[in-house]
């Protein structure tokens, strides 16, 4: 894998609907992958990016650091736990689905546990927007996209953009 050549994959690329494989050891290759993902996320002005979105079916995602917009956080083999199951709806976009916005209902409080680039286990809890980002990116590791969560209205509204993507 040449990390520098990785690019963001767009729907309907089949890698986006695969269940990703766990990451083994945190090798220099994984570090290069994470670094490239951060680069692509920042370039695209995104707030999160999962490895399947760059064509690598591994359980790894990056997000902006909610406490420091200049920094990024890497989650390897993350697991999520709902700590507040109050649900809220919010509009989400996805770098693999340009021009498509979907109103997604998710629980507000999440605890995330995963490994960082040094191989250390990290845990964070949030009931802020980042908790939604974790769930969106985790969905990518399960091969789930926001278009799987669209209401009939969303589907009608996104018809043209979806057709354009499929017709590429
Ligand atoms: Zn996405």
């Amino acid at each position: 894998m040449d990390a520098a050549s990785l690019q963001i994959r767009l729907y309907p690329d089949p890698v986006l609907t695969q269940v990703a494989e766990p990451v083994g050891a945190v090798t220099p290759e994984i570090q290069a992958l994470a670094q490239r993902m951060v680069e692509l996320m920042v370039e695209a002005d995104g707030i999160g990016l999962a490895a399947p979105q760059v064509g690598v079916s591994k359980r790894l995602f990056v997000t902006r650091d909610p406490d420091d917009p200049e920094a990024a956080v890497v989650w390897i083999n993350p697991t999520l736990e709902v700590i507040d199951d109050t649900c809220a709806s919010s509009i989400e976009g996805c770098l693999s689905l340009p021009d498509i916005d979907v109103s997604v209902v998710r629980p507000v409080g999440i605890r995330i546990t995963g490994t960082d680039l040094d191989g250390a286990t990290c845990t964070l809890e949030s009931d802020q927007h980042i908790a939604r980002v974790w769930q969106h990116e985790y969905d990518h590791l399960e091969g789930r996209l926001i278009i799987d969560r669209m209401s009939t209205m969303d589907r009608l509204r996104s018809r043209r953009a979806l057709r354009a993507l499929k017709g590429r």
Side-chain angles (χ1 to χ4, degrees):
M1 179 182 64
D2 175 19
S5 69
L6 296 175
Q7 297 294 340
I8 293 179
R9 304 289 185 94
L10 301 182
Y11 175 84
D13 191 313
V15 72
L16 294 170
T17 47
Q18 283 168 18
V19 178
E21 297 287 331
V23 174
V26 183
T27 57
E29 196 182 38
I30 292 293
Q31 288 168 339
L33 167 64
Q35 205 172 3
R36 176 64 179 154
M37 286 166 59
V38 170
E39 215 172 84
L40 288 169
M41 171 180 73
V42 171
E43 258 174 44
D45 205 19
I47 49 176
L49 189 67
Q53 290 183 277
V54 299
V56 179
S57 194
K58 289 199 186 296
R59 303 188 78 82
L60 156 72
F61 63 70
V62 300
T63 72
R64 301 265 182 177
D65 183 340
D67 299 322
D68 176 5
E70 298 298 307
V73 182
V74 178
W75 293 100
I76 298 167
N77 298 329
T79 57
L80 304 186
E81 209 181 318
V82 176
I83 52 172
D84 181 351
D85 63 4
T86 311
C87 282
S89 177
S90 186
I91 303 287
E92 296 183 20
C94 180
L95 294 177
S96 296
L97 289 158
D99 303 322
I100 293 176
D101 293 316
V102 178
S103 171
V104 184
V105 176
R106 300 192 190 271
V108 298
I110 296 291
R111 177 185 300 131
I112 184 170
T113 304
T115 302
D116 70 11
L117 279 184
D118 300 317
T121 301
C122 306
T123 299
L124 282 178
E125 290 180 1
S126 178
D127 58 5
Q128 303 298 304
H129 186 68
I130 191 69
R132 176 173 289 275
V133 177
W134 293 335
Q135 293 175 81
H136 177 114
E137 300 311 329
Y138 185 86
D139 275 353
H140 277 298
L141 308 185
E142 295 293 314
R144 285 192 298 256
L145 298 170
I146 50 174
I147 50 172
D148 302 327
R149 297 174 177 275
M150 276 198 291
S151 65
T152 307
M153 277 309 288
D154 282 330
R155 207 167 284 280
L156 282 170
R157 216 171 331 131
S158 304
R159 217 170 22 184
R160 217 167 262 134
L162 268 175
R163 209 185 296 136
L165 277 168
K166 282 184 175 156
R168 279 182 305 124

